[in-house]
Amino acid sequence: MKIDSIDFFYLSMPVVEDIGDGSQDALLVRVAAGGHVGYGECEAAPLPSIAALICPMSHSACKPVQSSVLGAKLDTPADIRRIGDQVRANSLDLLQAEHTLSGIDMALWDLLGRKLGEPAWKLLGWARAFPKTPYSSVLFGDTPQQTLEKARAARAKGFHAAKFGWGPFGHGSVQADEEQLAAAREGLGQDGVLLVDAGTVWNTDVERARRVLPALQRVHAAWLEEPFVSGALDEYRALSLDSGEVGLAGGEGSHNFFMARHMIDHAGLKYVQIDAGRIGGISVAKDVADYAAAKGVTYVNHTFTSHLALSASLQPYAGLQAHEICEYPAEPKQLALDITRDHLLPDGNGQVNVPERQGLGMEVNLEGLRPYLVDTEIRVKGRTFYRTPQL
Amino acid sequence: MKIDSIDFFYLSMPVVEDIGDGSQDALLVRVAAGGHVGYGECEAAPLPSIAALICPMSHSACKPVQSSVLGAKLDTPADIRRIGDQVRANSLDLLQAEHTLSGIDMALWDLLGRKLGEPAWKLLGWARAFPKTPYSSVLFGDTPQQTLEKARAARAKGFHAAKFGWGPFGHGSVQADEEQLAAAREGLGQDGVLLVDAGTVWNTDVERARRVLPALQRVHAAWLEEPFVSGALDEYRALSLDSGEVGLAGGEGSHNFFMARHMIDHAGLKYVQIDAGRIGGISVAKDVADYAAAKGVTYVNHTFTSHLALSASLQPYAGLQAHEICEYPAEPKQLALDITRDHLLPDGNGQVNVPERQGLGMEVNLEGLRPYLVDTEIRVKGRTFYRTPQL
């Protein structure tokens, strides 16, 4: 087959709030080849990602992403990897390109899986897909009382594990953080798995982060995620030396294999979190999963949006039985739920199963997305470079 | 002062060729505050960088760059750094943001310098600016004969140092590379400083790179630049162990301080090359220059475009006397030359002097840019988010 078309759909809730909730908009990708269609999703700012797809060439290493994809041969998994390599070479100086590529790469695995009648994880080389233990991923409440209620709600929904992040955490006093943590633990119960996401709030301030460690240890948090910005390797490592039972987690900001490798090699991580919608897609995420497993670091998906993105995020480590935790978007906006007709609901054991169906195994609900479609047009030199395609 | 406006001008040659010449288009940035104006330039794909400036917010850490800049206070150098920190926090998940910020940061130093009547390098804390020894930066010819002629031309223009890069180098046989290198050396003369830029052609293939080392050593190349993609720390380090007198150079792909720090700490570099138009501007580049100096790695600017970008690229290490080499765009397209009225020409000693004038010390030639202006319009939900501003 040859790749015939790439369509990017910018979707959004009617109102986007100034909160740490990445499910308020979405960039859905549709790729067609040889009469087959595949879908993916960039976890990225939609407009700059669209611009990276279609912009005029600046020079030989700064080309629009589509120039390396349209017309390319697609018959085998190796073809998908070659396309990714082409994008990285031809768009080397186009920073946004790796976010744009991510959704395309997912769509290629979905498409090829449908063509070959196999789930994507099988094409990736896994013999079987092991179920994952989902954690409910929610924002801290504005008050400890709200956090307490959110934690109770997570338990009531059957989640054994829950992650609290962003919101006021880390922005105020250490005492305020302690009260939030205590509320989360109380609501979750003593036997629940409590995960905490600082959302890079301390930037590179190791001392400030260190002051929260005693409270994290007191509530037996299993991990502290993103105390610092991605890439602050020395700061991560310094904190890891004092964090005891609280493992450090990070890596979601990685937008290529190397950044994830550096986090694994140099940051003292216990968990590496990879967003397949940012790192260049399922292909690169799979490489990171293999590398993490070899280095004794636990791979975890990073997913905060739709069940299409969730399925894609599970494929890279579907076959790693011991890497069993998975992020599960627990309070996404309606848009994220409406992207697919089917959803990856926890089974009777409270576990999430990677679909056994072809490709990513999810049915995109195009008609249902009409109300969310953001009409967008980009014109350069009087010519239309992008216009929102028909759903 | 408060920042009143940010204007992005997308400029382009009439025809952009599929060659490794980054001077074929440009993204000029104008910032106004308190009746003053400053200019900068993103070394970046124009359309995605414009989109990152003005796109709708996706969530609290994925905001358009302008939301952290417009209306911000600008009275001191610390204000510029605070604005950069705000952009990095508020646009954390917007990959292209750091390229967009780069041109804005330059414009802020230019503007503040004009307001305070000081050159930017003085505001950065340097007591004086030392002259730099420019190297002529050109592409390898398609044939060894063309490279020979280019090298002779560089000498004839008075350059003592020249860098050859991209083109066919590394794409064919090792013997073809050897012939190119021999031609460059012959044209430059035995006493010239020969630098070689592989343009990431070997990606991560250490063995292939290693096979060119003997030829590089034979022609006494002072450095081998970017044998691998930025971030391939282990591969760089492995090659550095065998490269002998040929120092490794790299880092231009860094789009934040950490990436440059990792290259300095882990890649076995002798030279770290920073493009102020990509890394987040002059502010971040200055931090890297300080860090490199402390670690015994030589800082070099990366500049392939206009003399506005050239001046900006020299400010961060103006005061580092021992770091005396500078990249000098020797065969830019006419567009790049037309961006400024004045140019940083080598003095009687063949050296380039960082301007002593206010700000970046360059006068932008707005009227002369009219023929290059790329008419661009971005509409979202029926509203114009961007339209090419008046020059």
Side-chain angles (χ1 to χ4, degrees), chain B residues 126-160:
Chain B
W126 298 121
R128 61 165 291 197
F130 295 95
K132 304 293 182 189
T133 299
Y135 65 81
S136 168
S137 189
V138 298
L139 304 178
F140 274 111
D142 290 336
T143 64
Q145 182 62 29
Q146 283 179 17
T147 297
L148 176 73
E149 286 156 18
K150 284 185 175 216
R152 283 184 179 147
R155 276 322 281 260
K157 280 188 214 160
F159 285 102
H160 182 66

Side-chain angles (χ1 to χ4, degrees), chain B residues 275-289:
Chain B
D275 199 314
R278 294 176 181 164
I279 201 164
I282 292 170
S283 306
V284 181
K286 168 65 161 59
D287 294 341
V288 176

Side-chain angles (χ1 to χ4, degrees), chain A residues 133-136 151-152 154-156 158-164 181-196 216-223 325:
Chain A
T133 300
Y135 65 81
S136 167
R152 284 186 178 145
R155 274 322 280 260
F159 285 102
H160 182 65
K163 185 175 85 182
F164 294 83
L181 292 171
R185 170 53 75 200
E186 184 184 337
L188 202 59
Q190 288 308 312
D191 62 331
V193 178
L194 174 59
L195 312 169
V196 176
L216 287 162
Q217 288 159 350
R218 231 169 10 245
V219 300
H220 302 292
W223 83 41
I325 300 182

Side-chain angles (χ1 to χ4, degrees), chain B residues 81-93:
Chain B
R81 290 185 169 274
R82 188 183 33 75
I83 290 168
D85 289 341
Q86 284 289 308
V87 169
R88 280 180 288 273
N90 295 332
S91 303
L92 179 72
D93 288 345

Side-chain angles (χ1 to χ4, degrees), chain A residues 110-364:
Chain A
D110 190 33
L111 196 162
L112 191 63
R114 289 168 190 274
K115 168 77 187 317
L116 302 178
E118 297 278 8
W121 54 262
K122 209 165 264 185
L123 297 183
L124 285 165
W126 298 121
R128 63 165 289 198
F130 294 94
K132 304 293 182 190
T133 300
Y135 65 81
S136 167
S137 188
V138 298
L139 304 177
F140 274 110
D142 290 337
T143 63
Q145 182 61 31
Q146 283 179 17
T147 296
L148 176 73
E149 286 157 18
K150 285 185 176 217
R152 284 186 178 145
R155 274 322 280 260
K157 279 188 216 160
F159 285 102
H160 182 65
K163 185 175 85 182
F164 294 83
W166 296 76
F169 189 77
H171 284 282
S173 67
V174 172
Q175 193 195 328
D177 294 345
E178 290 170 350
E179 289 166 6
Q180 285 279 3
L181 292 171
R185 170 53 75 200
E186 184 184 337
L188 202 59
Q190 288 308 312
D191 62 331
V193 178
L194 174 59
L195 312 169
V196 176
D197 180 2
T200 78
V201 67
W202 299 306
N203 201 287
T204 56
D205 187 347
V206 179
E207 282 317 306
R208 176 62 177 82
R210 205 173 261 140
R211 291 171 63 203
V212 184
L213 285 180
L216 287 162
Q217 288 159 350
R218 231 169 10 245
V219 300
H220 302 292
W223 83 41
L224 172 63
E225 172 177 340
E226 287 219 311
F228 312 119
V229 288
S230 259
L233 305 180
D234 296 353
E235 290 79 0
Y236 268 94
R237 181 177 286 280
L239 189 66
S240 76
L241 300 177
D242 296 326
S243 70
E245 291 291 294
V246 181
L248 293 192
E252 67 171 90
S254 304
H255 59 81
N256 60 48
F257 173 76
F258 299 108
M259 297 175 82
R261 190 173 86 177
H262 303 162
M263 293 293 281
I264 291 168
D265 288 345
H266 302 295
L269 294 187
K270 196 164 167 187
Y271 304 90
V272 67
Q273 302 169 291
I274 298 302
D275 198 314
R278 293 177 182 163
I279 201 163
I282 291 170
S283 306
V284 181
K286 168 66 161 59
D287 293 341
V288 176
D290 289 342
Y291 190 77
K295 294 281 178 171
V297 169
T298 299
Y299 183 99
V300 190
N301 67 318
H302 176 267
T303 311
F304 210 81
T305 58
S306 75
H307 284 231
L308 176 68
L310 178 60
S311 173
S313 79
L314 298 177
Q315 309 288 333
Y317 75 123
L320 294 175
Q321 184 169 18
H323 303 231
E324 64 165 336
I325 300 182
C326 89
E327 181 166 38
Y328 188 89
E331 48 180 21
K333 291 283 185 280
Q334 192 61 37
L335 158 61
L337 293 175
D338 286 351
I339 285 179
T340 51
R341 288 188 198 279
D342 33 16
H343 297 90
L344 300 179
L345 302 179
D347 64 17
N349 299 320
Q351 292 196 295
V352 169
N353 293 283
V354 190
E356 295 280 340
R357 298 182 293 276
Q358 299 179 359
L360 300 182
M362 308 301 293
E363 197 189 341
V364 168

Side-chain angles (χ1 to χ4, degrees), chain B residues 17-349:
Chain B
E17 295 176 89
D18 191 357
I19 55 174
D21 177 356
S23 73
Q24 301 182 85
D25 65 9
L27 184 56
L28 182 68
V29 176
R30 179 175 67 190
V31 175
H36 298 270
V37 168
Y39 287 95
E41 199 178 325
C42 305
E43 174 49 30
L47 192 63
S49 304
I50 290 169
L53 178 73
I54 54 83
C55 60
M57 171 171 71
S58 288
H59 56 80
S60 61
C62 195
K63 292 177 183 164
V65 172
Q66 68 177 7
S67 73
S68 304
V69 183
L70 283 174
K73 176 177 163 297
L74 176 63
D75 294 310
T76 67
D79 290 330
I80 300 180
R81 290 185 169 274
R82 188 183 33 75
I83 290 168
D85 289 341
Q86 284 289 308
V87 169
R88 280 180 288 273
N90 295 332
S91 303
L92 179 72
D93 288 345
L94 203 180
L95 190 47
Q96 190 71 20
E98 281 156 321
H99 279 190
T100 298
L101 168 62
S102 296
I104 294 173
D105 179 272
M106 286 179 194
L108 295 177
W109 286 105
D110 190 34
L111 196 162
L112 191 62
R114 289 168 191 273
K115 167 78 189 313
L116 301 177
E118 298 277 9
W121 53 263
K122 209 165 262 184
L123 298 183
L124 285 166
W126 298 121
R128 61 165 291 197
F130 295 95
K132 304 293 182 189
T133 299
Y135 65 81
S136 168
S137 189
V138 298
L139 304 178
F140 274 111
D142 290 336
T143 64
Q145 182 62 29
Q146 283 179 17
T147 297
L148 176 73
E149 286 156 18
K150 284 185 175 216
R152 283 184 179 147
R155 276 322 281 260
K157 280 188 214 160
F159 285 102
H160 182 66
K163 184 176 86 182
F164 294 83
W166 297 76
F169 189 78
H171 285 281
S173 66
V174 173
Q175 192 194 330
D177 294 345
E178 290 171 349
E179 289 167 5
Q180 284 280 2
L181 292 172
R185 169 53 76 199
E186 183 185 339
L188 201 59
Q190 287 307 313
D191 61 332
V193 177
L194 173 58
L195 311 168
V196 176
D197 180 2
T200 77
V201 69
W202 299 307
N203 202 289
T204 55
D205 187 346
V206 179
E207 282 317 305
R208 176 63 176 82
R210 206 174 261 141
R211 291 172 61 202
V212 184
L213 285 180
L216 287 162
Q217 288 160 351
R218 231 167 13 244
V219 301
H220 302 291
W223 84 41
L224 172 63
E225 173 177 341
E226 287 217 313
F228 312 119
V229 288
S230 260
L233 305 180
D234 295 352
E235 290 80 359
Y236 268 94
R237 181 177 288 277
L239 189 66
S240 76
L241 300 177
D242 297 325
S243 70
E245 291 291 294
V246 181
L248 293 192
E252 67 171 87
S254 304
H255 60 80
N256 60 47
F257 174 77
F258 298 108
M259 297 175 83
R261 191 173 86 177
H262 303 161
M263 293 292 281
I264 291 168
D265 288 345
H266 303 294
L269 294 187
K270 196 164 169 187
Y271 305 90
V272 67
Q273 302 171 290
I274 297 302
D275 199 314
R278 294 176 181 164
I279 201 164
I282 292 170
S283 306
V284 181
K286 168 65 161 59
D287 294 341
V288 176
D290 290 343
Y291 190 77
K295 294 281 179 171
V297 169
T298 299
Y299 183 100
V300 190
N301 67 316
H302 176 266
T303 311
F304 210 82
T305 59
S306 76
H307 284 232
L308 176 68
L310 179 59
S311 172
S313 78
L314 298 176
Q315 309 289 332
Y317 75 122
L320 293 175
Q321 185 169 16
H323 303 230
E324 64 165 337
I325 299 182
C326 88
E327 180 166 40
Y328 189 89
E331 48 180 22
K333 291 284 185 279
Q334 192 61 36
L335 158 61
L337 293 174
D338 286 351
I339 285 179
T340 51
R341 288 188 197 281
D342 33 16
H343 297 90
L344 299 179
L345 302 179
D347 63 17
N349 299 320

